[in-house]
Amino acid sequence: MRNTMTHWKARAMRGAAMALMLVALATAGCEDDTPGPLPTPTPPPTVTDTFTGTLNINGAFTFPFAVVAAGSMTLTLTSISDSTVLVSMSLGTWNGITCAVQLANDQAAQGAVVTGVAGSIGNFCARISDVGKLTESVTFELTVVHP
């Protein structure tokens, strides 16, 4: 009789364990797998660098700057003391010694814009130069907006 009672208790325990496993599996299968709304990525903050100087006949200036995230860059010839004169302005990559020009406007008047995209973080440069149009020195202001 003792073995029969132990046998039935063991069988009841196995049945209860099996029922618990089935309930656990059933509830696990009923989870809501519907994806929620995707978070909107936060764009990197923008930085505005301002560069000024006096551009001489046949002269040029290069201004290095660092970009901390991928994104668009805008170079603007904000002001020039003789608004009738045309200059060259450009965006490029900076290797610590030279500016490798990537985008240029060789007929830039006051208000001209050059726009590019930085594919990753890195060192870039803005450049302004005389393209043979200056008859006297001019003061200028460049602004670069970048991430």
Side-chain angles (χ1 to χ4, degrees), residues 39-144:
T40 304
T42 304
T46 57
V47 175
T48 301
D49 292 320
T50 303
F51 305 110
T52 60
T54 301
L55 184 61
N56 294 320
I57 297 171
N58 296 321
F61 280 94
T62 300
F63 301 99
F65 60 94
V67 170
V68 298
S72 66
M73 301 182 292
T74 304
L75 169 64
T76 304
L77 180 56
T78 311
S79 68
I80 190 163
S81 58
D82 180 352
S83 61
T84 64
V85 67
L86 300 176
V87 295
S88 174
M89 61 182 228
S90 53
L91 284 170
T93 55
W94 178 251
N95 69 6
I97 299 170
T98 61
C99 182
V101 172
Q102 305 297 314
L103 301 166
N105 178 349
D106 291 332
Q107 301 294 314
Q110 183 170 308
V113 175
V114 173
T115 302
V117 174
S120 64
I121 65 171
N123 296 313
F124 294 85
C125 48
R127 186 165 168 78
I128 185 169
S129 61
D130 176 26
V131 287
K133 309 257 180 179
L134 291 182
T135 57
E136 62 184 9
S137 298
V138 292
T139 59
F140 65 88
E141 178 179 281
L142 296 173
T143 56
V144 180

